[in-house]
Amino acid sequence: MKMTQPKKLLSLFLCLVLIAAMALMATACNDIFKDFFQKEETTTPQETEVPAHKKNFTFIVVDKEGKETSFLISTDKATVGDALVAEGLIEGEKGAYGLYVKKVNGILADYDVDQTYWAFYINGELAMSGVDSTPVEEGATYSFKVEK
């Protein structure tokens, strides 16, 4: 039986399409079966995740009249802001520069209302970072003071 030129071209074209389809299928299946064909990895003790231990710090709130309220906070949170939010001690709004604290220990300080705001202090000095970007340090003292 003799194949004509168009039949040869059609056969060649179909073979190329079949090869391309198999290559695409193999590429797509590679991600699906990658875990199946790889050996199970074992972890060494250094690679296992160690639970974070709790850190303790003092938190002081100074209200509009100058009255101080002190709290001892024990947390496994990474930042002071996360720890204080988790304790229900601060509330605010997320802004371009992080958390804008408006309420501390239930006391509202709103610049738009009475030109007061909460100033954040670290170990008695005005903080150069926001409360939500300040890492918790063991034994440190953090405070919020109402300022005008």
Side-chain angles (χ1 to χ4, degrees), residues 78-108:
T79 65
V80 177
D82 287 341
L84 297 176
V85 167
E87 293 288 327
L89 290 170
I90 64 171
E91 296 176 32
E93 301 171 353
K94 286 281 185 183
Y97 302 105
L99 181 66
Y100 175 58
V101 177
K102 286 191 166 188
K103 198 180 263 190
V104 178
N105 196 28
I107 304 167
L108 179 69

